[in-house]
Amino acid sequence: GHIVRNWKVRWFVLLQDKLLYYKIEGGKKEPSPKGRILLDGCTITCPCLEYENRPLLIKLTTKTNTDYFLECCSREERDSWALDITGAIHAGHPVQVQELHRMKNSFKLLESISLHHIVERMCDSSTGIKLTRNLEQGNRYKETFTGSALVDWLISNSFAVSRFEAVTLASMLMEENFIKPVGTRSTEATRYGDLSEQFLDDSTALYMFAESSMKNTSSKEGLQFNISELSGTIVKQGFLVKQGHKRKNWKVRRFVLRADPAFLHYYDPTKEENRPVGGFSLRGCLVSALEDNGVPAGVKGNVQGNLFKIITKKDVHYYIQASSKAERAQWIEAIKPLT
């Protein structure tokens, strides 16, 4: 309501240029509308997170800056209404309407946003995702959020434009151990669902920040990797020994090879960080095995053999040791098609 800020049930009818709402008496709508919202010049916000305890809101702001808050019965209903209202707002522009329907099930994440940046924004005390206590099957969980709440938050903060995109992005956050499932519902989905079903856009599935990601949010140090790098399909992963670029010492790293896009990232297994400590695109790279008789130029320190080298498009040389000739061959065979 505009005068008394209470919430009342109204029957809504969407026309091409306006949204009518009616009072309901005795289970039936009255013949004349109680009011109308003119859609010309209107802007829509969905999901609208201005009311913490009302996650199913649509906000309409008219050309005269009047705000209307409409609450739906489910997320599916809310998103359906939002799409149809947006279509009516842009009714005079059929190309925009077609684009809206295409975006509903599209997938095109922003390439300039890093996962680490998203987690930092999620942890912001004023604009981040709201952490609440939740009860599931008699167990109490502190500082958790639901799967559907995270999807709403990602969309409202422009990290994704559709629920499909937001679920994919949330799955990446979980895969990289920035967030973790808690409780039976979300944990079983992780254990038994396929990759596209492991994160649940559901108000009963609970998640929380992984402890290591909470530690990292206070640090601005470290390399930033954009979403496109970490969104590829994991082709192969395992432990290899890599020579450092500055000190030329050898350290064990966990390597993750991804395709579409083709990247090779490496992680420090001694740290609880969820971010790579390095990585590079494989496009235009050269990969080859190095002979074990003698130490090749550019290689220093304790070399056990089973070496291979990757030269990037920018002429950066990476020297890597595998534990056996067979493992070296497997890595080279996996990398070559992606170069």
Side-chain angles (χ1 to χ4, degrees), residues 62-338:
T62 66
K63 192 159 59 174
T64 57
N65 288 324
T66 302
D67 289 336
Y68 291 87
F69 293 93
L70 317 177
E71 185 173 34
C72 301
C73 298
S74 68
R75 281 179 167 80
E76 292 76 18
E77 185 184 53
R78 178 197 66 187
D79 293 345
S80 177
W81 270 99
L83 189 70
D84 290 337
I85 292 171
T86 307
I89 292 173
H90 299 292
H93 307 279
V95 175
Q96 284 184 274
V97 176
Q98 290 176 5
E99 180 68 10
L100 284 166
H101 284 273
R102 187 194 65 78
M103 285 171 56
K104 185 179 180 183
N105 294 309
S106 70
F107 179 74
K108 187 180 179 182
L109 291 172
L110 297 173
E111 295 187 0
S112 59
I113 304 297
S114 73
L115 296 179
H116 187 70
H117 173 66
I118 292 174
V119 176
E120 283 186 337
R121 289 278 301 276
M122 287 174 66
C123 293
D124 188 278
S125 58
S126 57
T127 60
I129 193 164
K130 303 301 180 186
L131 303 179
T132 58
R133 296 186 180 207
N134 282 284
L135 183 68
E136 186 195 65
Q137 295 184 353
N139 295 317
R140 291 186 179 276
Y141 299 99
K142 296 180 180 179
E143 298 188 326
T144 59
F145 47 87
T146 66
S148 53
L150 176 54
V151 169
D152 285 349
W153 186 89
L154 290 169
I155 295 172
S156 68
N157 284 271
S158 302
F159 290 117
V161 298
S162 68
R163 302 196 79 76
F164 177 71
E165 271 190 29
V167 167
T168 304
L169 185 51
S171 300
M172 290 165 57
L173 290 170
M174 192 166 65
E175 185 179 339
E176 295 297 329
N177 200 32
F178 284 105
I179 64 174
K180 63 181 182 181
V182 290
T184 306
R185 182 94 169 84
S186 55
T187 304
E188 286 187 350
T190 305
R191 190 175 302 151
Y192 301 114
D194 61 33
L195 197 60
S196 63
E197 298 173 342
Q198 289 187 350
F199 180 87
L200 300 177
D201 178 8
D202 192 294
S203 59
T204 63
L206 302 181
Y207 300 88
M208 68 187 304
F209 290 112
E211 291 181 10
S212 51
S213 70
M214 293 293 285
K215 293 175 184 176
N216 289 335
T217 53
S218 60
S219 172
K220 298 288 183 181
E221 298 178 359
L223 299 171
Q224 294 292 316
F225 296 91
N226 64 39
I227 283 174
S228 64
E229 289 186 34
L230 299 171
S231 64
T233 303
I234 294 178
V235 175
K236 185 175 177 61
Q237 57 183 318
F239 291 96
L240 297 166
V241 183
K242 175 189 160 296
Q243 180 180 258
H245 286 289
K246 295 180 181 178
R247 296 184 181 180
K248 304 298 181 182
N249 53 352
W250 293 87
K251 291 185 178 180
V252 175
R253 294 289 182 254
R254 179 173 67 87
F255 280 79
V256 178
L257 176 63
R258 293 181 172 90
D260 298 323
F263 274 84
L264 185 63
H265 293 100
Y266 49 94
Y267 300 73
D268 186 347
T270 66
K271 297 181 179 179
E272 293 184 349
E273 292 182 354
N274 311 302
R275 303 178 281 163
V277 293
F280 51 91
S281 170
L282 291 173
R283 295 301 180 196
C285 283
L286 297 174
V287 56
S288 60
L290 297 177
E291 296 300 326
D292 295 334
N293 52 343
V295 179
V299 176
K300 296 181 179 180
N302 183 22
V303 180
Q304 303 296 325
N306 307 313
L307 280 172
F308 64 98
K309 177 172 69 172
I310 301 175
I311 304 175
T312 70
K313 196 174 182 179
K314 296 180 180 179
D315 199 34
V316 180
H317 292 228
Y318 289 86
Y319 294 98
I320 302 168
Q321 295 186 57
S323 60
S324 66
K325 286 187 177 181
E327 185 184 45
R328 177 178 66 180
Q330 290 170 7
W331 274 98
I332 292 173
E333 288 174 11
I335 291 170
K336 269 188 175 179
L338 303 178

Side-chain angles (χ1 to χ4, degrees), residues 13-83:
V13 176
L14 176 62
L15 303 180
Q16 187 171 355
D17 60 344
K18 64 178 74 73
L19 190 61
L20 304 178
Y21 53 95
Y22 299 77
K23 289 181 70 174
I24 296 178
E25 294 291 343
K28 295 181 180 181
K29 74 179 181 71
E30 293 188 340
S32 300
K34 172 74 174 174
R36 63 179 184 171
I37 303 171
L38 298 178
L39 297 178
D40 179 43
C42 211
T43 59
I44 182 169
T45 304
C46 178
C48 172
L49 305 183
E50 292 189 27
Y51 288 83
E52 186 177 335
N53 61 338
R54 293 182 181 273
L56 304 178
L57 288 185
I58 295 171
K59 178 183 177 182
L60 292 175
T61 303
T62 66
K63 192 159 59 174
T64 57
N65 288 324
T66 302
D67 289 336
Y68 291 87
F69 293 93
L70 317 177
E71 185 173 34
C72 301
C73 298
S74 68
R75 281 179 167 80
E76 292 76 18
E77 185 184 53
R78 178 197 66 187
D79 293 345
S80 177
W81 270 99
L83 189 70

